[in-house]
Amino acid sequence: MEETRILLKLSGEALAGEKKTGFDEATVMQVADQVKQALSAGKQIAIVIGGGNFWRGRTSEHMDRVRADQIGILATVMNCIYTAELFRGVGIPTVIMTPFECGNMTKLFRKEEAVEALEAGTVVFFAGGTGHPYFSTDMATVLMAVEIEADVILSGKAIDGVYDSDPKLNPNAKKYDRMEMQDIVDQKLGVIDLASAVLAMENHMSMKLFGLNGENSILNAMTGSFTGTYIHA
């Protein structure tokens, strides 16, 4: 089946480039260039961005989990506003949707409006996660992909695929070219959180995981040049 409607998940760390924190404009512009080419080829693209380049409050023992997660939720909004603005600067129409009111900075999410925008060639950013603590942007990614009836999730990370162990610690770590979403659950591989993996599996939402910083990585993930890990649901 041709993958026309795509939910692109970008990790905040990957967007930060080698700086590992904040924004790396060159990296975002590379993403924008690839997205523009994909739109010209008839793809419909929605985007979810993580907040790890600004906040990982779950590692703190000195803050309530709910408040920490709320800060992370706002970090994803900042990331989407920044990225959407750079996209607009190169001629890509964008809209940012959130699951909660956010003044005049975003629009409140409605499935019908999101799908209409996608069909019109507008890139739709889903910011703010699910709007609730205890749910990761992995969950927001799968949930939004299911709601807009995406054909596949493309997940661009700082790592180029799924491994059987941490390749930073184990030079002999094996990279998987293909696996089942059930494997993520059974082996607790940590690629996405378990609740998100189960939701994807129940709704037959497959995922391609790849290294964002590779040359033309997003375009390659849409073609036969894909070299990451295909996770079949």
Side-chain angles (χ1 to χ4, degrees):
M1 182 184 71
E2 183 179 359
E3 296 165 352
T4 299
R5 183 172 298 165
I6 292 163
L7 193 298
L8 176 62
K9 165 66 187 305
L10 303 173
S11 76
E13 295 96 323
L15 281 184
E18 295 183 359
K19 295 189 300 183
K20 306 299 183 185
T21 185
F23 302 118
D24 182 66
E25 185 170 315
T27 298
V28 178
M29 292 304 289
Q30 289 174 2
V31 172
D33 179 64
Q34 293 180 74
V35 168
K36 192 170 186 178
Q37 292 182 59
L39 291 171
S40 297
K43 302 296 185 183
Q44 300 174 15
I45 299 177
I47 296 178
V48 172
I49 305 177
N53 54 324
F54 282 113
W55 183 257
R56 284 203 172 277
R58 297 180 189 184
T59 60
S60 173
E61 299 177 357
H62 306 290
M63 179 175 285
D64 177 76
R65 167 67 184 271
V66 171
R67 295 303 182 204
D69 281 4
Q70 288 171 340
I71 295 173
I73 286 170
L74 294 177
T76 71
V77 176
M78 292 192 298
N79 279 343
C80 285
I81 291 173
Y82 176 85
T83 305
E85 183 60 25
L86 289 189
F87 276 30
R88 283 193 290 269
V90 296
I92 301 173
T94 64
V95 62
I96 304 170
M97 292 187 168
T98 46
F100 48 81
E101 297 284 357
C102 201
N104 62 0
M105 292 180 286
T106 68
K107 298 185 70 173
L108 196 62
F109 169 75
R110 286 184 66 248
K111 174 183 176 178
E112 294 79 7
E113 288 187 14
V115 170
E116 287 175 3
L118 290 168
E119 291 176 342
T122 298
V123 173
V124 181
F125 286 83
F126 295 126
T130 67
H132 298 281
Y134 295 95
F135 290 98
S136 68
T137 49
D138 289 338
M139 177 59 76
T141 297
V142 176
L143 182 61
M144 290 296 96
V146 171
E147 284 206 48
I148 65 170
E149 301 176 63
D151 297 317
V152 70
I153 295 170
L154 303 186
S155 181
K157 292 181 173 286
I159 189 170
D160 65 349
V162 182
Y163 289 79
D164 61 355
S165 59
D166 190 339
K168 294 179 180 179
L169 303 177
N170 179 14
N172 297 315
K174 175 188 174 184
K175 178 182 170 184
Y176 297 104
D177 294 326
R178 184 184 179 93
M179 63 194 315
E180 300 295 318
M181 194 66 72
Q182 185 69 56
D183 297 328
I184 303 294
V185 176
D186 293 343
Q187 300 178 40
K188 299 180 180 179
L189 292 174
V191 179
I192 61 174
D193 65 67
L194 295 181
S196 303
V198 170
L199 180 63
M201 193 165 52
E202 289 177 342
N203 289 277
H204 310 290
M205 183 59 64
S206 296
M207 174 184 293
K208 292 180 178 178
L209 191 147
F210 60 96
L212 179 63
N213 294 320
E215 185 176 358
N216 290 324
S217 60
I218 297 171
L219 292 174
N220 289 340
M222 299 179 189
T223 68
S225 301
F226 175 66
T227 59
T229 302
Y230 180 74
I231 307 171
H232 184 264

